[in-house]
Amino acid sequence: MNELSGSTDPPRFPTAVTDDMTRPNSLLHVESVVPVEAPVQKDGPFLPELTEVDLLVRAADARREFNVGGSGVTVAVLDTGLRTTHVDFAGRVVPGRNFTREGAGDPADVEDRNGHGTNVAGIACAARIHTGVAPNARIVPVKVLGDGGGGSFADIRDGLDWVLERRSSLGISAVCMALGASDNRTTDTDMPGDGIGALLQELTDEGVCCCVAAGNEYYAHGGLQGMSYPAIFRQTISVGSVYDADEGSFRYRDGAKAFVTAADRMTPFSQRLHRKVGGPCATDIFAPGSPVTSAGILNDTGESLQFGASQATPVVTGVVLLLQSFYLRTRGELPTVADVKRWLVRGATVIYDGDDEHDNVGHTGLSFPRISAVGSLLACAKDLAMRELTAAEHAREESGAATARR
């Protein structure tokens, strides 16, 4: 049996917390992050591909069929840091920032001594030994979680503010936050003035896609629909987790059990929120995240193994980077976040919560979208073709009108 990394503490019911009230948007409705646990590390390398993930989401097919790998776009990974010298990231790491007290508080020290951030970044865009979803994209490590995996949302707020200020100079088009609180919310309307929510809105307005883990506390919350903070904010691209293959049985530390697993079965820990309940705050997309092999921190060719919504989130981030890169090459600009969300959902595979899951949690009996890299890029390409057709038709009409006026 295997155990899910994550907190086993009882849910912390959120209260309003203020931090440095001289700053704008400083109100935070949750204080502490659920600590992420270090992935299993191996000397490696062993697996050159994210094989089962690729097979399910068809990432390799998408890269080949659309001739895209993430060139021209950059993701900011807000996590435990990054092993910047790993060969999987060679030549593509943009200097980031440390917002924790680790490394004696040195702002330039983004070293990953936990492994979670390196695992997450590798899933999104590793290249050379392991192959992430978007292997040509650049990475900006933003260290907001400590070496023990814990952290505060004040540091995350400051990290997001840093990204917002430097998005243009660093070319940041996406944010990956494989983290969250232990709560279970169904709306963001009860958090007016929240600092992180405000920054997510500003980033979204600027075309930066913010991918955030839906949470790993479904069993802990009695199988009730909901998502954790900050995934619950409607501005995010919120991500839940499914299995990518028959991995056997799993028993997790919080008591969740999967007696049988298979591709596209929801993990019993993954929080979920259907649009019938959450409306615009619902879970946007699901992705494989249990377990996933990626880059590690033992050495510059090492690998790591971990599972959870934390691993599903960079899968979606990688597809977002492919979409942005494809659109940028075609149109010379980035797409809107609304366009990206629409393509993710239109191109998704429909999965059902409770049709074939065999575990010890309740199920909603509702359908959810699971990401497909090929489907998303096809949806994008169709939109682009329709826009070109509409533009051509408009040009013909303008030409005809000009001729008639003569």
Side-chain angles (χ1 to χ4, degrees), residues 166-318:
R166 289 160 179 78
R167 69 194 182 284
S168 296
S169 61
L170 300 182
I172 297 171
S173 59
V175 168
C176 182
M177 292 198 295
L179 50 81
S182 61
D183 51 1
N184 195 50
R185 297 173 173 271
T186 58
T187 184
D188 60 4
T189 58
D190 58 347
M191 293 183 288
D194 186 88
I196 285 179
L199 286 164
L200 290 170
Q201 182 65 67
E202 289 188 74
L203 286 163
T204 298
D205 291 343
E206 295 295 336
V208 179
C209 294
C210 300
C211 304
V212 186
N216 293 327
E217 312 289 329
Y218 186 63
Y219 177 86
H221 288 286
L224 296 176
Q225 289 193 58
M227 286 195 299
S228 66
Y229 173 99
I232 192 61
F233 288 112
R234 66 191 68 198
Q235 298 91 339
T236 69
I237 297 175
S238 51
V239 184
S241 173
V242 299
Y243 292 106
D244 51 35
D246 180 356
E247 301 284 356
S249 60
F250 292 87
R251 181 178 59 209
Y252 301 102
R253 290 187 177 182
D254 65 353
K257 299 176 183 178
F259 305 112
V260 179
T261 58
D264 277 339
R265 292 186 181 182
M266 285 194 176
T267 56
F269 54 80
S270 183
Q271 285 168 259
R272 62 207 71 171
L273 180 60
H274 196 271
R275 293 200 176 276
K276 289 183 177 180
V277 177
C281 298
T283 311
D284 290 297
I285 199 83
F286 282 74
S290 189
V292 182
T293 300
S294 180
I297 61 171
L298 289 185
N299 52 53
D300 288 345
T301 59
E303 71 178 20
S304 60
L305 181 70
Q306 190 56 286
F307 43 95
S310 285
Q311 282 57 54
T313 304
V315 171
V316 171
T317 305

Side-chain angles (χ1 to χ4, degrees), residues 21-178:
M21 290 305 292
T22 61
R23 286 175 52 92
N25 303 323
S26 61
L27 178 66
L28 297 176
H29 284 79
V30 180
E31 182 177 10
S32 300
V33 180
V34 175
V36 298
E37 282 194 22
V40 175
Q41 300 292 331
K42 301 178 182 179
D43 287 335
F46 298 97
L47 296 176
E49 300 280 347
L50 307 178
T51 309
E52 288 162 347
V53 169
D54 270 349
L55 288 174
L56 191 64
V57 306
R58 300 186 63 194
D61 292 342
R63 293 192 297 268
R64 181 178 60 254
E65 292 177 20
F66 292 88
N67 189 29
V68 66
S71 297
V73 293
T74 304
V75 58
V77 179
L78 276 66
D79 214 291
T80 59
L82 182 72
R83 186 176 180 95
T84 58
T85 57
H86 198 292
V87 297
D88 278 340
F89 310 119
R92 294 180 296 116
V93 179
V94 178
R97 177 69 152 77
N98 173 28
F99 288 92
T100 73
R101 295 182 177 87
E102 307 293 357
D106 179 1
D109 185 358
V110 296
E111 182 180 351
D112 184 8
R113 304 173 189 88
N114 176 283
H116 191 270
T118 299
N119 178 276
V120 165
I123 295 169
C125 49
R128 188 169 172 179
I129 292 178
H130 305 90
T131 303
V133 177
N136 295 338
R138 296 182 297 265
I139 314 106
V140 180
V142 183
K143 188 177 176 75
V144 295
L145 300 180
D147 297 342
S152 73
F153 280 106
D155 288 342
I156 292 170
R157 176 204 60 203
D158 293 345
L160 286 172
D161 190 50
W162 184 87
V163 169
L164 178 65
E165 291 177 357
R166 289 160 179 78
R167 69 194 182 284
S168 296
S169 61
L170 300 182
I172 297 171
S173 59
V175 168
C176 182
M177 292 198 295

Side-chain angles (χ1 to χ4, degrees), residues 317-405:
T317 305
V319 176
V320 167
L321 293 167
L322 293 181
L323 285 166
Q324 292 176 326
S325 181
F326 179 73
Y327 192 93
L328 180 64
R329 186 182 70 201
T330 306
R331 294 292 298 268
E333 61 183 359
L334 288 173
T336 66
V337 175
D339 278 343
V340 172
K341 280 190 176 187
R342 187 174 68 255
W343 298 329
L344 292 176
V345 174
R346 281 187 179 177
T349 296
V350 176
I351 59 172
Y352 294 90
D353 177 22
D355 62 332
D356 58 0
E357 282 78 10
H358 186 37
D359 49 36
N360 68 340
V361 298
H363 296 276
T364 65
L366 299 168
S367 62
F368 291 86
R370 191 265 296 154
I371 198 164
S372 165
V374 169
S376 297
L377 278 158
L378 185 59
C380 174
K382 286 182 177 178
D383 256 13
L384 286 170
M386 286 300 298
R387 291 176 190 182
E388 290 178 5
L389 186 63
T390 300
E393 181 63 28
H394 180 71
R396 283 194 296 270
E397 290 175 356
E398 287 292 315
S399 177
T403 301
R405 286 194 295 270

